[in-house]
């Protein structure tokens, strides 16, 4: 090897959905560092494979498939947090894995994650472990109503959460989870949900993107407003908490840190995702470095890119219509400063994430003006059966 020359690496990704797709697209723009992307995904023709990733078609938890991926890759990362951290740990000798399987193990169990944050004096809402219905009854005595009963693992889009509003929901909530490991959490009457996309590279350099505001519908992220419409103090506080979190968490890559702003303007961390995050999709147009490129820079040990927000931007998720499942009409938008990104999913399902649109403020438009523009755009980006 010529001195100073770096060999391009083969990148393996567990998961080839839209996040894997956008990581693959970023990888293709850095051929001097990444020569090939292989994704492990059970869905034929998964989004990442449509943009040039090679695919190993198997379940995310298929041990042999993970070993196969590790043998074929120099470096492994993931777009989902449900990978088997024990299996991943066992293949660490074959490929470098970032974030580390140990960090994944702690994060993917929300109870361990919250305990870890609490031990490190990072503010979270009150919570306790739940093993029996007796624990639940005791917890309710302490916390009062409402509370959230949550699955410790494998939850996404709010599917692992059950809100208990009164005594009559208790049995129903406990039965809903059928033997899954659980914990109970105080319900926060938040003013706003916000998040910070943070990154750390393998050398320990840390950079965070500016605070954004997240609006959920039916437990699914619907809209991200960058920057968040909060005071400078709240922004600073949230960004400081994100940085502190990054300093205690080990592992390289992007982390999506979801937070609540409480009625008293306190910041509580809701949860951390050890991967690129839906609330960071605005960075594709709003920042010099997208979160996908940043993730690659972080795991490759390159200097992290600029995270400044160049243009205020609104990201709106395009979700499957709740009233049908099946093929849908293609969407088209040809307006300046509006960027449509579809994920190549053939079938729409209720609330399935099919794409997103970024509305970028370029001529000094305010967030309020962008929100109006979004309203008039909604008809054009509604999913309809074909
Ligand atoms: P996602 O995949 O969308 O991040 P998830 O299944 O991991 O979701 P959470 O992030 O724990 O679940 O919760 C989903 C949403 O439920 C949150 O974004 C928030 O709106 C609401 N929520 C969660 N925990 C609380 C809480 N303690 N108090 C009030 N609302 C909450
Ligand atoms: Mg969440």
């Amino acid at each position: 090897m010529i001195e100073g020359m770096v060999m391009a690496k083969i990148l393996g990704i567990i998961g080839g959905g839209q996040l894997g797709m956008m990581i693959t697209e970023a990888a293709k723009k850095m051929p001097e560092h990444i020569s090939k992307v292989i994704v492990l995904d059970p869905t034929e023709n998964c989004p990442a494979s449509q943009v040039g990733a090679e695919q190993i078609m198997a379940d995310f938890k298929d041990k042999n498939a993970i070993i196969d991926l590790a043998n074929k890759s120099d470096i492994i990362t993931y777009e989902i947090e449900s990978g088997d951290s024990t299996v991943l740990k066992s293949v660490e000798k074959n490929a470098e894995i970032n974030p580390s399987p140990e960090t994944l193990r702690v994060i993917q169990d929300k109870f361990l994650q919250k305990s870890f944050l609490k031990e490190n004096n990072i503010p979270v809402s009150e919570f306790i472990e739940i093993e029996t219905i007796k624990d639940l009854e005791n917890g309710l005595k302490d916390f009062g109503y409402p509370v959230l009963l949550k699955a410790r693992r494998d939850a996404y889009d709010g599917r692992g959460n059950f809100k208990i509003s009164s005594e009559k929901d208790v049995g129903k909530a406990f039965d809903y989870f059928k033997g899954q490991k659980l914990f109970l959490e105080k319900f926060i009457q938040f003013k706003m949900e916000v998040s910070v996309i943070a990154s750390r590279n393998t050398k320990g350099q840390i950079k965070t993107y500016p605070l954004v505001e997240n609006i959920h519908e039916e437990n699914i992220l619907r809209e991200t407003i960058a920057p968040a419409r909060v005071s400078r103090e709240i922004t600073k506080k949230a960004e400081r908490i994100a940085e502190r979190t990054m300093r205690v968490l080990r592992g390289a890559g992007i982390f999506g840190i979801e937070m609540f702003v409480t009625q008293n303007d306190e910041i509580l961390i809701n949860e951390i995702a050890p991967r690129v995050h839906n609330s960071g999709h605005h960075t594709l147009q709003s920042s010099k470095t997208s979160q996908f490129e940043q993730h690659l820079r972080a795991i490759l040990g390159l200097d992290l890119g600029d995270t400044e927000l160049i243009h205020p931007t609104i990201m709106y998720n395009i979700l499957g219509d709740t009233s049908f499942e099946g093929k849908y009409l293609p969407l088209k938008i040809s307006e300046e400063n509006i960027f449509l990104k579809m994920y190549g999913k053939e079938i729409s399902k209720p609330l399935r994430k099919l794409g997103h649109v970024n509305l970028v403020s370029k001529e000094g438009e305010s967030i309020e003006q962008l929100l109006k523009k979004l309203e008039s755009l909604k008809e054009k980006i509604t999913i309809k059966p074909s």
Side-chain angles (χ1 to χ4, degrees):
M1 193 162 88
I2 303 165
E3 208 183 337
M5 197 176 106
V6 196
M7 286 282 283
K9 291 181 170 152
I10 297 176
L11 172 71
I13 311 176
I14 313 234
Q18 65 268 20
L19 302 179
M21 172 190 196
M22 291 183 271
I23 295 172
T24 303
E25 287 170 328
K28 280 174 39 187
K29 291 186 195 147
M30 21 200 329
E32 70 281 26
H33 298 291
I34 297 171
S35 56
K36 181 158 101 173
V37 179
I38 310 172
V39 298
L40 189 165
D41 195 286
T43 316
E44 195 176 347
N45 198 25
C46 68
S49 76
Q50 294 179 35
V51 295
E54 201 175 292
Q55 183 177 359
I56 296 174
M57 219 184 304
D59 192 84
F60 306 121
K61 295 186 182 180
D62 182 327
K63 188 171 175 182
N64 291 325
I66 293 174
I67 293 170
D68 187 25
L69 182 68
N71 287 335
K72 288 179 174 153
S73 311
D74 299 305
I75 177 161
I76 284 184
T77 191
Y78 23 88
E79 61 138 35
I80 47 157
E81 52 266 55
S82 63
D84 186 328
S85 60
T86 317
V87 176
L88 284 169
K89 227 174 245 176
S90 76
V91 298
E92 263 183 309
K93 54 191 179 306
N94 304 348
E96 187 182 333
I97 304 176
N98 282 309
S100 69
E102 177 51 25
T103 299
L104 177 66
R105 185 184 72 82
V106 174
I107 290 185
Q108 70 184 183
D109 180 330
K110 286 189 187 179
F111 176 74
L112 290 185
Q113 182 193 132
K114 284 227 151 84
S115 305
F116 173 84
L117 292 171
K118 196 173 161 195
E119 281 157 23
N120 284 286
N121 293 316
I122 291 166
V124 291
S125 67
E126 279 183 69
F127 65 98
I128 52 162
E129 188 175 7
I130 298 291
E131 283 178 331
T132 62
I133 191 125
K134 192 97 201 97
D135 294 341
L136 182 53
E137 285 159 6
N138 288 337
L140 285 164
K141 269 187 217 135
D142 276 359
F143 293 170
Y145 297 98
V147 287
L148 280 172
L149 187 60
K150 292 189 172 185
R152 287 174 60 161
R153 294 184 56 120
D154 297 338
Y156 66 98
D157 293 343
R159 281 170 226 209
N161 295 355
F162 197 111
K163 186 174 176 185
I164 304 179
S165 302
S166 72
E167 211 180 318
K168 69 174 185 8
D169 302 335
V170 177
K172 219 193 307 174
F174 198 73
D175 293 341
Y176 171 79
F177 290 104
K178 290 194 206 96
Q180 277 175 279
K181 290 191 161 183
L182 305 174
F183 71 106
L184 187 71
E185 194 174 286
K186 229 181 182 166
F187 192 86
I188 307 298
Q189 303 290 355
F190 52 77
K191 255 192 204 168
M192 189 187 280
E193 289 195 77
V194 293
S195 61
V196 169
I197 302 298
S199 56
R200 183 207 280 100
N201 73 9
T202 51
K203 295 177 181 136
Q205 185 192 10
I206 293 171
K207 271 200 184 178
T208 58
Y209 285 90
L211 189 73
V212 299
E213 171 180 346
N214 296 317
I215 298 165
H216 290 79
E217 273 171 27
E218 320 239 9
N219 275 309
I220 293 186
L221 179 68
R222 184 83 235 204
E223 202 168 312
T224 295
I225 299 174
R229 293 170 296 172
V230 291
S231 67
R232 264 193 74 79
E233 289 74 54
I234 296 177
T235 298
K236 278 268 155 297
K237 202 187 281 183
E239 290 176 358
R240 258 201 308 271
I241 287 174
E243 272 181 40
R244 259 173 59 207
T245 305
M246 290 306 288
R247 279 200 296 271
V248 297
L249 257 188
R250 285 178 305 174
I254 288 271
F255 294 82
I257 307 177
E258 301 176 8
M259 299 178 264
F260 300 130
V261 182
T262 70
Q263 298 297 331
N264 308 325
D265 290 344
E266 291 306 316
I267 299 287
L268 300 174
I269 291 195
N270 170 35
E271 62 164 348
I272 302 172
R275 53 167 171 79
V276 289
H277 194 262
N278 197 168
S279 71
H281 291 358
H282 69 90
T283 61
L284 282 169
Q285 272 85 34
S286 67
S287 310
K288 210 189 239 169
T289 320
S290 77
Q291 65 163 344
F292 306 100
E293 177 186 340
Q294 193 78 312
H295 182 65
L296 295 172
R297 303 190 72 82
I299 66 176
L300 290 165
L302 303 173
D303 283 346
L304 295 174
D306 194 342
T307 54
E308 190 200 343
L309 187 76
I310 305 170
H311 313 284
T313 296
I314 293 178
M315 189 278 325
Y316 183 77
N317 269 340
I318 297 169
L319 304 177
D321 191 283
T322 47
S323 65
F324 85 97
E325 175 165 338
K327 293 196 176 167
Y328 54 98
L329 292 172
L331 302 180
K332 247 191 255 113
I333 293 179
S334 50
E335 285 170 53
E336 240 183 298
N337 303 332
I338 299 184
F339 300 84
L340 175 71
K341 175 82 188 161
M342 295 304 289
Y343 306 145
K345 298 179 187 178
E346 205 189 334
I347 301 293
S348 173
K349 293 180 188 170
L351 302 178
R352 186 176 199 196
K353 287 175 179 166
L354 300 173
H356 71 260
V357 62
N358 280 339
L359 285 80
V360 181
S361 155
K362 285 217 171 132
E363 275 89 43
E365 276 170 309
S366 66
I367 292 290
E368 304 313 316
Q369 285 168 310
L370 285 183
L371 284 169
K372 277 214 188 99
K373 216 187 217 178
L374 173 61
E375 278 316 307
S376 60
L377 191 71
K378 278 184 182 167
E379 174 55 26
K380 272 194 197 159
I381 49 176
T382 300
I383 297 295
K384 298 181 184 111
S386 65

